[in-house]
Amino acid sequence: MNWITKIIKAGEKIKSALHKRATKEDIANSDWTSCCKGPILKKDLQKNLWVCPEPECNKHHRINPKQRFDILFGEKNYEIFKTPIPKDDPLNWSDSKSYKDRLKNARKKKLVWIVE
Ligand SMILES: [Zn+2]
């Protein structure tokens, strides 16, 4: 094995390590998340209302509307009414991008939720 094959093998190891990284779905479905002191169980965060228990950190983690309703009203103590969903672009707005494309991208990135 010469130095070129060693470098190629090292490159392949790096590539495989990069491919094994967790996806966004893996992270969302995991029981763990990370904060200042490293990994923390989501159950522990939930018990602390999604605020980091470390006093010097005290980070407020991002939560979705359902999690917020569960905190405010208690689980299954509220009812979500069906509301009519407005048209995506009632004003037919156009900018540098069309409003429909911006909304589509935001929904893809989960910046905008539709509560069902
Ligand atoms: Zn923290």
Side-chain angles (χ1 to χ4, degrees):
M1 187 183 299
N2 62 23
W3 65 274
I4 294 175
T5 54
K6 281 183 183 176
I7 288 176
I8 290 172
K9 283 192 177 184
E12 287 171 0
K13 281 183 184 176
I14 291 170
K15 270 186 187 175
S16 66
L18 289 175
H19 286 289
K20 288 177 186 171
R21 295 183 78 186
T23 61
K24 280 187 176 182
E25 288 86 29
D26 291 339
I27 293 168
N29 294 330
S30 170
D31 292 337
W32 294 87
T33 188
S34 62
C35 197
C36 55
K37 299 283 182 183
I40 184 169
L41 272 172
K42 285 182 181 175
K43 283 182 186 176
D44 293 342
L45 262 182
Q46 189 178 9
K47 283 178 194 167
N48 206 31
L49 304 179
W50 299 95
V51 178
C52 180
E54 296 297 325
E56 64 273 0
C57 176
N58 214 17
K59 178 184 176 185
H60 290 63
H61 287 256
R62 178 178 267 195
I63 58 174
N64 65 34
K66 187 187 177 311
Q67 290 168 320
R68 188 171 300 280
F69 293 156
D70 287 347
I71 291 168
L72 285 174
F73 308 117
E75 278 188 48
K76 297 179 182 175
N77 279 342
Y78 61 92
E79 185 179 343
I80 297 174
F81 295 117
K82 289 247 175 201
T83 53
I85 297 172
K87 288 181 179 177
D88 280 353
D89 189 11
L91 299 176
N92 221 1
W93 186 261
S94 63
D95 195 3
S96 57
K97 283 183 179 177
S98 78
Y99 183 78
K100 285 180 181 176
D101 289 342
R102 287 180 191 272
L103 196 60
K104 194 176 171 184
N105 288 335
R107 284 179 178 152
K108 218 183 253 179
K109 291 177 185 173
K110 301 215 173 185
L111 297 173
V112 176
W113 281 283
I114 297 175
V115 178
E116 293 177 10

